[in-house]
Amino acid sequence: MWIDRKEIENLSEFIKESDDGAIRDIRDNKEGPLSILKNDVYMLVESKNEQLKNAYMQRDVLADYMSDISHQLKTPITSMEMMLDLMEDASPEKKEEFTRNIKFTLHKMEWLLGALLKMAKIDADAVTFNKKSVMVSELVEEVRPSVDVLLDINDQKLEQVNDVSVTCDKRWMAEALMNIVKNAIEHSPEGGVITIDCGDNPLYEWISIKDSGSGMERKSYSALFKRFEYSTNENGFGIGMPLALTIVKGQGGDIDVDFGGNGQGATFIIKLYK
């Protein structure tokens, strides 16, 4: 079969152009081996460019997180260095206090690093969610050990009023639910109740977490799910709710908010679309 030299040169030029990220459509609807080759080369180049695009995106995501980690660790590290310097001439009581503070700061740093690395993995598509059917009551039981101390300190209760099966990655969804429950604890008064409800409809399965506070201001909503921008706890980083949203979105879901008010607390609704 005769193949025009210009066709070969055109195909060669296309391959060279693709190294610079450029891609033009060289496919045609003709029959024959050359047309098949053109189509195959085009698909190969397009696949390569898409892989490169994803690789660059993952690189940028990880770079942003590393920058955040570096920035957020500067203050606690400086604080611990100062306490270590002061410990040399401190009384035994002060040394004990500094030691407790250093341990507490290290615990905070450990949690921050873990949370940011989890978010980075999800944002970089480096996490495979193992979604299965799980009862909401099972998720709540996974959460309880992490919040029992906070509930006890604040004389609060965590109550579940319904139970349904939802499709999710149990370990990751329990992590998201825990962070939302902790947020509800922060916004509820002493003796308050955090209520978990759930259900499903033709579009999605849902889990709601309602605090017993005074509701949430709409102006706070824009910062609520942004890293480091929203925390009412002086020991917090403003990372729990962004992590929860990242986990839920990673499983094809979303989080809606009912702001409450007029005697009603805010309600966060996890929606897992079918």
Side-chain angles (χ1 to χ4, degrees), residues 16-125:
K16 291 176 182 177
E17 290 173 356
S18 70
D19 287 337
D20 298 325
I23 182 168
R24 54 187 170 87
D25 198 339
I26 61 168
R27 295 173 294 179
D28 59 44
N29 296 320
K30 299 177 183 179
E31 296 183 356
L34 182 59
S35 292
I36 294 173
L37 178 61
K38 282 182 179 179
N39 294 343
D40 288 346
V41 169
Y42 176 84
M43 296 303 294
L44 180 63
V45 169
E46 192 175 53
S47 175
K48 182 210 72 171
N49 285 350
E50 187 63 27
Q51 290 174 358
L52 283 173
K53 181 181 177 182
N54 289 335
Y56 289 142
M57 182 192 72
Q58 292 178 10
R59 180 201 63 186
D60 292 342
V61 167
L62 291 174
D64 287 344
Y65 276 101
M66 291 305 296
S67 176
D68 281 341
I69 289 172
S70 175
H71 178 73
Q72 292 297 319
L73 291 183
K74 285 180 181 178
T75 299
I77 288 174
T78 301
S79 174
M80 287 191 295
E81 288 176 342
M82 291 177 61
M83 285 188 281
L84 286 171
D85 288 340
L86 292 171
M87 283 178 70
E88 294 183 7
D89 301 317
S91 64
E93 293 80 10
K94 273 293 181 182
K95 286 182 179 179
E96 186 176 344
E97 179 185 340
F98 288 146
T99 301
R100 285 198 306 271
N101 289 338
I102 289 172
K103 287 181 178 179
F104 177 71
T105 303
L106 287 171
H107 177 73
K108 285 175 59 182
M109 291 169 61
E110 181 182 16
W111 183 88
L112 172 65
L113 286 171
L116 286 173
L117 289 173
K118 288 172 185 174
M119 291 177 69
K121 287 180 180 179
I122 297 171
D123 284 350
D125 293 325

Side-chain angles (χ1 to χ4, degrees), residues 163-190:
D163 199 11
V164 297
S165 173
V166 296
T167 303
C168 64
D169 185 302
K170 181 179 179 180
R171 181 173 67 88
W172 282 102
M173 191 54 65
E175 174 92 22
L177 184 60
M178 177 192 68
N179 282 292
I180 299 175
V181 169
K182 284 184 175 180
N183 180 75
I185 290 172
E186 287 182 19
H187 289 83
S188 296
E190 284 192 17

